[in-house]
Amino acid sequence: MRYSIIGSGSVGVALASQFARSGIAVGMANSRGRDSVVSIVREYGETVLPLTLEEAVTADVVILAVPFWSHLDVAKAAALWQGKIVIDATNAYGVQLSDLGNEPSSSVVGKAFSGARLVKAFNHLPAGVLAQQPGTAEGRRVIFLSGDDDGSVTEVAKLVQALGFAPVSLGKIAEGGQLVQARDRTWAPLIFQDLLKKEA
């Protein structure tokens, strides 16, 4: 699997640090070009590579760590999304429900990536917490997942585990996934919930 993170803000950098810590290769891109990413990823050695947006969208698994409406620009960067997994780490806080057509924000994102399999993940923790060691003496930090394709949720769960976190599936996006869907001026109940899962 080839992974990429699109977005070099606090969430994107937090995720990049976890890939580097785990020794999992990942590319990082933003809308400003490769050169603007070079200084951000330098501390991670060869594990996190600076990419152009056009290069980043060729990955098998693309993580969206961009402001909500910027997902539309990312979607336009690839002619074909068929078969790819898109991980939606965005939050639609401040976006009115009417602008979403009364749908979950991830459903709106998914429509822009025709043919891709979308999984909601990595959006519920503040970047500072997401960057911390995922494993503690009390257990592994939980990452909530939701998606309408079970196979894709399983693949993302494997990535979450490889990064050292504990995946917890909430089910379909329109069902349990609503628990991590921020919109308008409302944060869903599970956003900001920093939970730990004991090892079996």
PDB file of all heavy atoms in Angstrom, residues 79-98:
ATOM      1  N   ALA A  79      -7.760  12.326 -12.169  1.00  0.00           N
ATOM      2  CA  ALA A  79      -8.802  12.047 -13.163  1.00  0.00           C
ATOM      3  C   ALA A  79      -9.636  10.842 -12.753  1.00  0.00           C
ATOM      4  O   ALA A  79     -10.797  10.720 -13.147  1.00  0.00           O
ATOM      5  CB  ALA A  79      -8.160  11.795 -14.519  1.00  0.00           C
ATOM      6  N   LEU A  80      -9.047   9.952 -11.942  1.00  0.00           N
ATOM      7  CA  LEU A  80      -9.734   8.715 -11.579  1.00  0.00           C
ATOM      8  C   LEU A  80      -9.451   8.378 -10.117  1.00  0.00           C
ATOM      9  O   LEU A  80      -8.297   8.328  -9.691  1.00  0.00           O
ATOM     10  CB  LEU A  80      -9.249   7.570 -12.489  1.00  0.00           C
ATOM     11  CG  LEU A  80      -9.968   6.236 -12.356  1.00  0.00           C
ATOM     12  CD1 LEU A  80     -11.408   6.353 -12.839  1.00  0.00           C
ATOM     13  CD2 LEU A  80      -9.234   5.168 -13.162  1.00  0.00           C
ATOM     14  N   TRP A  81     -10.503   8.152  -9.360  1.00  0.00           N
ATOM     15  CA  TRP A  81     -10.379   7.767  -7.957  1.00  0.00           C
ATOM     16  C   TRP A  81     -10.820   6.326  -7.721  1.00  0.00           C
ATOM     17  O   TRP A  81     -10.785   5.834  -6.599  1.00  0.00           O
ATOM     18  CB  TRP A  81     -11.214   8.702  -7.077  1.00  0.00           C
ATOM     19  CG  TRP A  81     -10.601  10.059  -6.963  1.00  0.00           C
ATOM     20  CD1 TRP A  81     -10.897  11.167  -7.707  1.00  0.00           C
ATOM     21  CD2 TRP A  81      -9.562  10.454  -6.063  1.00  0.00           C
ATOM     22  NE1 TRP A  81     -10.104  12.230  -7.329  1.00  0.00           N
ATOM     23  CE2 TRP A  81      -9.285  11.813  -6.318  1.00  0.00           C
ATOM     24  CE3 TRP A  81      -8.853   9.792  -5.062  1.00  0.00           C
ATOM     25  CZ2 TRP A  81      -8.312  12.521  -5.613  1.00  0.00           C
ATOM     26  CZ3 TRP A  81      -7.893  10.489  -4.357  1.00  0.00           C
ATOM     27  CH2 TRP A  81      -7.623  11.841  -4.632  1.00  0.00           C
ATOM     28  N   GLN A  82     -11.200   5.659  -8.782  1.00  0.00           N
ATOM     29  CA  GLN A  82     -11.717   4.302  -8.680  1.00  0.00           C
ATOM     30  C   GLN A  82     -10.750   3.396  -7.923  1.00  0.00           C
ATOM     31  O   GLN A  82      -9.565   3.322  -8.256  1.00  0.00           O
ATOM     32  CB  GLN A  82     -11.969   3.725 -10.074  1.00  0.00           C
ATOM     33  CG  GLN A  82     -12.782   2.453 -10.099  1.00  0.00           C
ATOM     34  CD  GLN A  82     -14.242   2.694  -9.742  1.00  0.00           C
ATOM     35  OE1 GLN A  82     -14.807   3.721 -10.099  1.00  0.00           O
ATOM     36  NE2 GLN A  82     -14.839   1.742  -9.040  1.00  0.00           N
ATOM     37  N   GLY A  83     -11.256   2.696  -6.907  1.00  0.00           N
ATOM     38  CA  GLY A  83     -10.450   1.714  -6.190  1.00  0.00           C
ATOM     39  C   GLY A  83      -9.607   2.260  -5.060  1.00  0.00           C
ATOM     40  O   GLY A  83      -9.072   1.495  -4.264  1.00  0.00           O
ATOM     41  N   LYS A  84      -9.470   3.568  -4.972  1.00  0.00           N
ATOM     42  CA  LYS A  84      -8.656   4.148  -3.905  1.00  0.00           C
ATOM     43  C   LYS A  84      -9.450   4.255  -2.607  1.00  0.00           C
ATOM     44  O   LYS A  84     -10.673   4.319  -2.623  1.00  0.00           O
ATOM     45  CB  LYS A  84      -8.160   5.544  -4.307  1.00  0.00           C
ATOM     46  CG  LYS A  84      -7.201   5.564  -5.480  1.00  0.00           C
ATOM     47  CD  LYS A  84      -6.731   6.986  -5.758  1.00  0.00           C
ATOM     48  CE  LYS A  84      -5.823   7.041  -6.977  1.00  0.00           C
ATOM     49  NZ  LYS A  84      -4.566   6.298  -6.756  1.00  0.00           N
ATOM     50  N   ILE A  85      -8.726   4.274  -1.507  1.00  0.00           N
ATOM     51  CA  ILE A  85      -9.330   4.563  -0.217  1.00  0.00           C
ATOM     52  C   ILE A  85      -9.007   5.998   0.142  1.00  0.00           C
ATOM     53  O   ILE A  85      -7.843   6.414   0.102  1.00  0.00           O
ATOM     54  CB  ILE A  85      -8.818   3.611   0.880  1.00  0.00           C
ATOM     55  CG1 ILE A  85      -9.256   2.175   0.595  1.00  0.00           C
ATOM     56  CG2 ILE A  85      -9.312   4.055   2.259  1.00  0.00           C
ATOM     57  CD1 ILE A  85      -8.711   1.151   1.572  1.00  0.00           C
ATOM     58  N   VAL A  86     -10.024   6.774   0.453  1.00  0.00           N
ATOM     59  CA  VAL A  86      -9.845   8.151   0.909  1.00  0.00           C
ATOM     60  C   VAL A  86     -10.238   8.204   2.377  1.00  0.00           C
ATOM     61  O   VAL A  86     -11.362   7.839   2.741  1.00  0.00           O
ATOM     62  CB  VAL A  86     -10.699   9.137   0.085  1.00  0.00           C
ATOM     63  CG1 VAL A  86     -10.626  10.545   0.681  1.00  0.00           C
ATOM     64  CG2 VAL A  86     -10.229   9.157  -1.377  1.00  0.00           C
ATOM     65  N   ILE A  87      -9.289   8.610   3.216  1.00  0.00           N
ATOM     66  CA  ILE A  87      -9.562   8.768   4.646  1.00  0.00           C
ATOM     67  C   ILE A  87      -9.894  10.228   4.908  1.00  0.00           C
ATOM     68  O   ILE A  87      -9.075  11.114   4.670  1.00  0.00           O
ATOM     69  CB  ILE A  87      -8.359   8.328   5.507  1.00  0.00           C
ATOM     70  CG1 ILE A  87      -8.042   6.852   5.261  1.00  0.00           C
ATOM     71  CG2 ILE A  87      -8.642   8.578   6.986  1.00  0.00           C
ATOM     72  CD1 ILE A  87      -6.815   6.352   5.992  1.00  0.00           C
ATOM     73  N   ASP A  88     -11.096  10.464   5.372  1.00  0.00           N
ATOM     74  CA  ASP A  88     -11.579  11.815   5.616  1.00  0.00           C
ATOM     75  C   ASP A  88     -11.277  12.217   7.062  1.00  0.00           C
ATOM     76  O   ASP A  88     -11.954  11.795   7.990  1.00  0.00           O
ATOM     77  CB  ASP A  88     -13.084  11.880   5.343  1.00  0.00           C
ATOM     78  CG  ASP A  88     -13.673  13.251   5.610  1.00  0.00           C
ATOM     79  OD1 ASP A  88     -12.897  14.227   5.691  1.00  0.00           O
ATOM     80  OD2 ASP A  88     -14.905  13.349   5.730  1.00  0.00           O
ATOM     81  N   ALA A  89     -10.254  13.054   7.234  1.00  0.00           N
ATOM     82  CA  ALA A  89      -9.893  13.558   8.561  1.00  0.00           C
ATOM     83  C   ALA A  89     -10.352  15.007   8.733  1.00  0.00           C
ATOM     84  O   ALA A  89      -9.893  15.702   9.640  1.00  0.00           O
ATOM     85  CB  ALA A  89      -8.383  13.450   8.774  1.00  0.00           C
ATOM     86  N   THR A  90     -11.262  15.450   7.859  1.00  0.00           N
ATOM     87  CA  THR A  90     -11.732  16.835   7.927  1.00  0.00           C
ATOM     88  C   THR A  90     -12.842  16.984   8.962  1.00  0.00           C
ATOM     89  O   THR A  90     -13.463  16.002   9.369  1.00  0.00           O
ATOM     90  CB  THR A  90     -12.274  17.321   6.566  1.00  0.00           C
ATOM     91  OG1 THR A  90     -13.514  16.651   6.275  1.00  0.00           O
ATOM     92  CG2 THR A  90     -11.277  17.066   5.447  1.00  0.00           C
ATOM     93  N   ASN A  91     -13.094  18.218   9.348  1.00  0.00           N
ATOM     94  CA  ASN A  91     -14.229  18.551  10.199  1.00  0.00           C
ATOM     95  C   ASN A  91     -14.985  19.720   9.561  1.00  0.00           C
ATOM     96  O   ASN A  91     -14.357  20.703   9.148  1.00  0.00           O
ATOM     97  CB  ASN A  91     -13.785  18.924  11.613  1.00  0.00           C
ATOM     98  CG  ASN A  91     -13.520  17.711  12.473  1.00  0.00           C
ATOM     99  OD1 ASN A  91     -14.350  16.811  12.557  1.00  0.00           O
ATOM    100  ND2 ASN A  91     -12.355  17.655  13.098  1.00  0.00           N
ATOM    101  N   ALA A  92     -16.297  19.596   9.495  1.00  0.00           N
ATOM    102  CA  ALA A  92     -17.113  20.629   8.851  1.00  0.00           C
ATOM    103  C   ALA A  92     -17.650  21.630   9.867  1.00  0.00           C
ATOM    104  O   ALA A  92     -18.753  22.155   9.700  1.00  0.00           O
ATOM    105  CB  ALA A  92     -18.254  19.985   8.079  1.00  0.00           C
ATOM    106  N   TYR A  93     -16.875  21.889  10.901  1.00  0.00           N
ATOM    107  CA  TYR A  93     -17.297  22.864  11.898  1.00  0.00           C
ATOM    108  C   TYR A  93     -17.410  24.235  11.229  1.00  0.00           C
ATOM    109  O   TYR A  93     -16.516  24.666  10.511  1.00  0.00           O
ATOM    110  CB  TYR A  93     -16.291  22.930  13.041  1.00  0.00           C
ATOM    111  CG  TYR A  93     -16.726  23.828  14.179  1.00  0.00           C
ATOM    112  CD1 TYR A  93     -17.699  23.414  15.068  1.00  0.00           C
ATOM    113  CD2 TYR A  93     -16.187  25.091  14.324  1.00  0.00           C
ATOM    114  CE1 TYR A  93     -18.123  24.234  16.104  1.00  0.00           C
ATOM    115  CE2 TYR A  93     -16.594  25.922  15.355  1.00  0.00           C
ATOM    116  CZ  TYR A  93     -17.565  25.490  16.245  1.00  0.00           C
ATOM    117  OH  TYR A  93     -17.976  26.315  17.261  1.00  0.00           O
ATOM    118  N   GLY A  94     -18.509  24.910  11.441  1.00  0.00           N
ATOM    119  CA  GLY A  94     -18.733  26.208  10.818  1.00  0.00           C
ATOM    120  C   GLY A  94     -19.447  26.129   9.483  1.00  0.00           C
ATOM    121  O   GLY A  94     -19.820  27.150   8.916  1.00  0.00           O
ATOM    122  N   VAL A  95     -19.638  24.908   8.970  1.00  0.00           N
ATOM    123  CA  VAL A  95     -20.353  24.711   7.707  1.00  0.00           C
ATOM    124  C   VAL A  95     -21.814  24.452   8.024  1.00  0.00           C
ATOM    125  O   VAL A  95     -22.143  23.530   8.775  1.00  0.00           O
ATOM    126  CB  VAL A  95     -19.764  23.529   6.915  1.00  0.00           C
ATOM    127  CG1 VAL A  95     -20.562  23.297   5.632  1.00  0.00           C
ATOM    128  CG2 VAL A  95     -18.297  23.781   6.590  1.00  0.00           C
ATOM    129  N   GLN A  96     -22.695  25.241   7.469  1.00  0.00           N
ATOM    130  CA  GLN A  96     -24.114  25.104   7.775  1.00  0.00           C
ATOM    131  C   GLN A  96     -24.682  23.800   7.221  1.00  0.00           C
ATOM    132  O   GLN A  96     -24.292  23.356   6.142  1.00  0.00           O
ATOM    133  CB  GLN A  96     -24.893  26.290   7.214  1.00  0.00           C
ATOM    134  CG  GLN A  96     -24.551  27.608   7.881  1.00  0.00           C
ATOM    135  CD  GLN A  96     -25.418  28.745   7.381  1.00  0.00           C
ATOM    136  OE1 GLN A  96     -26.332  28.556   6.593  1.00  0.00           O
ATOM    137  NE2 GLN A  96     -25.134  29.948   7.872  1.00  0.00           N
ATOM    138  N   LEU A  97     -25.594  23.227   7.982  1.00  0.00           N
ATOM    139  CA  LEU A  97     -26.219  21.970   7.582  1.00  0.00           C
ATOM    140  C   LEU A  97     -26.877  22.086   6.209  1.00  0.00           C
ATOM    141  O   LEU A  97     -26.822  21.156   5.402  1.00  0.00           O
ATOM    142  CB  LEU A  97     -27.248  21.549   8.627  1.00  0.00           C
ATOM    143  CG  LEU A  97     -27.950  20.209   8.415  1.00  0.00           C
ATOM    144  CD1 LEU A  97     -26.941  19.077   8.322  1.00  0.00           C
ATOM    145  CD2 LEU A  97     -28.940  19.947   9.547  1.00  0.00           C
ATOM    146  N   SER A  98     -27.449  23.236   5.908  1.00  0.00           N
ATOM    147  CA  SER A  98     -28.094  23.421   4.602  1.00  0.00           C
ATOM    148  C   SER A  98     -27.078  23.353   3.463  1.00  0.00           C
ATOM    149  O   SER A  98     -27.404  22.925   2.357  1.00  0.00           O
ATOM    150  CB  SER A  98     -28.840  24.758   4.568  1.00  0.00           C
ATOM    151  OG  SER A  98     -27.954  25.831   4.819  1.00  0.00           O
TER     152      SER A  98
END
